[in-house]
Amino acid sequence: MVTAYVVPHSTGVAAVISTSRIAPTSLDIKYLDVKINFVEKLVIKKMGNVTDAIDRILGQWARERPDLDTEAMGVFGRIFRLAKLAGDATERAYAAHGIGRAEFDVLAALRRAGEPFQLSPGALAASMMLSTGGTTARLDRLEKAGLVARSPDPNDRRGILVRLTPHGHTIADRAVAAGLAEQQRLLATLTPEQAGQLTGLLRTLLNGL
C-alpha cells in the first residue's frame, strides 16, 4: 500500500510517499487521492487565498515541482485568460455591427487617423502591425461591404489610398463604443485606483520587453 503524509518543508509543505509490500485496494487508492488533494490544498493555502483556476494550477505545480518558481506563470496565465475573455466579449460587440475583429482593426485605424480618414495600404498595415499583403483580404471584404473605398494616390502614380466611406465612419464609431462598453464592464470589479495601478504595471512590463 502507498501512504502519503505531510511534513514541514522549506517551501511550505511537502508530501512524503512511503511504500509497503501490502497490495493496494480501491479504498487505499481513494484514501491516497484524498491525502494528496489535502497536500495540494495546503500548498495553495501557503501561497495565499485561492481566487481563480490559475491558483489551482499553481498549487498543483507546487505539489509536483516545489523547486519551481511559478510566479511568472501566474502573471502571464492571468494575462492570457483575460485577453481571451476580453477578446471574445469585444468580438461579440463588433458582430452586432456586422464586422469581426479583423475588420474593426482596419476601420479603427482609418477612423483614428483623422480627416480625411484615409491611409496608404503600407501605413494602414504598419498601424496594425501586419504586412501589406496581410491587409488585402480585409480590404476586399470591407470594400465589398461599402465600408471603405480604394482610389489612386494623386501624389504617387503607382500608389493607392484607402479611405472610410460615410457608412464605414458610422460603423467604426458605433463598434468602438460597443467594444469599449464591454471592456469597461469587464473592469467594473476594479476601483478606478486599482485600474490605474494595473495600467501602470502593465505599461512598465511592456516597456521592459
Side-chain angles (χ1 to χ4, degrees):
M1 181 180 70
V2 181
T3 303
Y5 55 93
V6 179
V7 298
H9 190 272
S10 60
T11 60
V13 294
V16 176
I17 308 297
S18 65
T19 61
S20 70
R21 297 176 182 176
I22 302 175
T25 66
S26 60
L27 182 60
D28 294 328
I29 294 173
K30 183 176 181 180
Y31 184 55
L32 174 60
D33 289 340
V34 170
K35 283 196 171 185
I36 289 179
N37 288 335
F38 176 68
V39 170
E40 180 183 316
K41 290 178 181 179
L42 286 177
V43 172
I44 297 174
K45 185 176 181 181
K46 179 69 176 180
M47 297 167 59
N49 293 329
V50 181
T51 58
D52 58 24
I54 304 298
D55 284 327
R56 181 172 179 80
I57 292 171
L58 297 183
Q60 291 169 338
W61 277 118
R63 182 195 70 209
E64 296 297 319
R65 289 290 306 275
D67 58 305
L68 294 178
D69 182 352
T70 58
E71 183 174 6
M73 184 186 295
V75 171
F76 289 104
R78 289 183 175 90
I79 289 175
F80 296 151
R81 179 63 175 155
L82 286 168
K84 177 66 167 60
L85 291 172
D88 289 348
T90 53
E91 188 77 34
R92 289 190 295 270
Y94 301 150
H97 299 281
I99 59 174
R101 178 59 184 265
E103 291 75 29
F104 172 79
D105 287 345
V106 175
L107 297 180
L110 293 169
R111 177 64 179 88
R112 66 176 183 265
E115 291 279 4
F117 309 114
Q118 68 181 20
L119 293 169
S120 69
L124 184 59
S127 72
M128 297 186 295
M129 294 179 287
L130 293 173
S131 66
T132 303
T135 65
T136 301
R138 300 184 186 192
L139 293 176
D140 289 343
R141 291 194 298 270
L142 289 168
E143 190 169 38
K144 185 177 181 180
L147 300 177
V148 303
R150 287 178 279 201
S151 60
D153 186 343
N155 299 316
D156 184 351
R157 289 183 298 175
R158 295 181 299 176
I160 64 170
L161 292 173
V162 181
R163 63 176 175 81
L164 280 178
T165 64
H167 183 43
H169 187 286
T170 298
I171 293 297
D173 278 354
R174 290 176 179 174
V176 71
L180 278 172
E182 283 299 304
Q183 293 167 353
Q184 289 165 350
R185 179 183 65 81
L186 294 173
L187 274 179
T189 55
L190 298 181
T191 66
E193 291 76 16
Q194 289 173 328
Q197 291 171 353
L198 179 60
T199 296
L201 291 171
L202 291 173
R203 183 186 296 115
T204 299
L205 179 59
L206 281 173
N207 288 339
L209 298 180

